[in-house]
Amino acid sequence: MKSVLDILLLVIIVFASFGTVSSAAPGAGPAQGAAVILVADNSADSAVASALGGMLGLKVVVTPWGTLGDEAIAQINASGATMVYVVGGPVAVPEIETRLQGFTVTRLGGKDRFETSALVAGRWNRSALVFLVEGEDEEGAREATVKARAENAPIVYVTKRELPEAVGAALARLNASRGVLVPSPDMEKEKVKARLRERGLEVNETPVDFAQRARSAIAAAEKAVESAEANASEVNESRSAAAARLLLQAKLHLAKAKEAFNASKYGEAYGLAVAAKNLAENSGRITRGVTVGSLKEHVERAAAEIGSRGLAGWKKDLEVAANTSEVRLGGRIGMGPPLRSQR
């Protein structure tokens, strides 16, 4: 018969073992509380970060795209974490080296959202099930996030017609056998499904109301355009000029999206609306002083053009472009009264 001391020792060992069990998959990462996930507020990176947070049982901290905000730093410091997973590249989430000193940082960021999703999926080590979304489909990403967290599965991104090489390699490493595809209205879904089947996946498709998805994309683009316009500043130098041109392009795309929707061309309407939203958001970012990556290139291009034609000449060219397309510019960007009503 075991002594009382032996039994007590066994109980202590059992309880100690339960206390060290992690909610993460084997080898996937640290236990809850040991780490946090940091991600920019763009939908693509946020979705894969949320799925990863669900699998690891970690808090997800969000920062505005292109910046590392003080609020995000405060949340990380208050979390008690010693490790930070950064989802996204150095353009989306910058200043890691200078502002996260004292933390062990692992960046899961590729050259684009496709590579980033593949890198994040790799933290599962193995997963028979994966969710696949077109890289620009925000609503699809949100839908996939809910399901992926419920199934403890990763999300990866595909293009409108292809399976990116990095994503295909990730599927092989995961030993994935089942894929749930969330199609976008402008996706050549049969071509995408064929590529997935070539990788040995059984593909199920989530039903999507393409008209509703296009309508939602247009509404999101309208909101982004309104926000960018409300915060626009007078055009008096290269940064405000670059923001103004992107805003004009956003309005052009939005007008065409509405025309396509009215013609029941939902795939075309969706694609144009997504482009309009991206342009408007980038205009707003430049207005707020975020000039990294491609945004820096827009500002440099405007600076070169202003240097060549002068600010007055640059403004005149923009007015002509707006009048030709029957798109309103508005006085907030220093162009005088509205030229014509936006369609």
Side-chain angles (χ1 to χ4, degrees):
M1 179 180 294
K2 293 181 180 291
S3 68
V4 174
L5 183 60
D6 289 337
I7 294 173
L8 181 60
L9 181 59
L10 179 60
V11 169
I12 292 173
I13 291 172
V14 169
F15 272 99
S17 299
F18 284 138
T20 60
V21 172
S22 168
S23 60
Q32 185 172 0
V36 294
I37 298 170
L38 174 64
V39 66
D41 60 0
N42 67 308
S43 63
D45 289 349
S46 294
V48 297
S50 180
L52 179 65
M55 187 269 286
L56 294 178
L58 300 180
K59 174 183 176 66
V60 178
V61 176
V62 180
T63 188
W65 186 94
T67 63
L68 184 47
D70 292 339
E71 183 178 347
I73 293 293
Q75 289 185 49
I76 292 172
N77 287 331
S79 70
T82 58
M83 181 175 181
V84 181
Y85 286 115
V86 179
V87 174
V91 172
V93 187
E95 302 181 285
I96 296 303
E97 294 77 9
T98 56
R99 303 203 64 194
L100 287 182
Q101 295 180 358
F103 293 90
T104 300
V105 178
T106 299
R107 186 184 286 277
L108 303 172
K111 67 181 181 181
D112 53 33
R113 61 192 59 196
F114 307 102
E115 285 194 2
T116 295
S117 72
L119 288 168
V120 173
R123 306 307 294 189
W124 269 256
N125 293 333
R126 297 267 179 163
S127 179
L129 176 65
V130 293
F131 287 84
L132 303 111
V133 185
E134 196 275 309
E136 298 287 348
D137 187 357
E138 291 192 5
E139 193 169 343
R142 288 194 294 269
E143 179 181 331
T145 299
V146 175
K147 295 179 179 180
R149 286 178 64 96
E151 297 285 350
N152 195 26
I155 299 169
V156 292
Y157 295 117
V158 297
T159 71
K160 297 173 185 178
R161 58 186 63 87
E162 292 292 344
L163 178 67
E165 183 177 346
V167 174
L171 296 178
R173 287 192 298 270
L174 289 168
N175 199 26
S177 58
R178 293 182 293 125
V180 176
L181 178 66
V182 183
S184 63
D186 59 347
M187 177 185 286
E188 296 179 26
K189 60 182 181 179
E190 294 306 322
K191 189 172 183 179
V192 173
K193 287 194 285 187
R195 296 292 177 268
L196 293 170
R197 292 184 182 117
E198 288 171 2
R199 293 277 181 174
L201 269 69
E202 174 189 337
V203 184
N204 293 315
E205 179 184 331
T206 299
V208 173
D209 183 337
F210 288 159
Q212 182 277 329
R213 186 64 58 85
R215 187 182 298 110
S216 295
I218 289 173
E222 287 178 326
K223 184 177 180 180
V225 166
E226 289 171 4
S227 176
E229 188 165 39
N231 293 293
S233 58
E234 181 179 354
V235 176
N236 53 21
E237 40 71 46
S238 59
R239 184 163 60 85
S240 54
R245 176 157 50 200
L246 289 175
L247 179 55
L248 173 59
Q249 291 173 350
K251 289 184 173 186
L252 291 171
H253 280 74
L254 180 56
K256 291 178 181 178
K258 292 178 179 179
E259 290 178 358
F261 185 88
N262 290 336
S264 300
K265 299 176 181 178
Y266 300 127
E268 181 180 346
Y270 169 84
L272 287 164
V274 168
K277 181 175 182 292
N278 290 339
L279 288 163
E281 288 179 341
N282 283 337
S283 174
R285 287 166 178 149
I286 291 176
T287 297
R288 294 194 302 271
V290 179
T291 54
V292 295
S294 63
L295 304 188
K296 181 180 180 181
E297 295 173 6
H298 285 294
V299 175
E300 290 174 345
R301 175 189 170 193
E305 292 171 350
I306 291 171
S308 174
R309 300 200 295 274
L311 184 60
W314 191 95
K315 287 185 177 183
K316 185 62 178 178
D317 289 346
L318 199 66
E319 283 183 320
V320 170
N323 269 332
T324 301
S325 305
E326 300 183 348
V327 171
R328 179 175 64 85
L329 281 176
R332 285 192 63 85
I333 59 174
M335 302 297 179
L339 300 173
R340 293 191 188 182
S341 297
Q342 181 182 353
R343 284 188 255 180

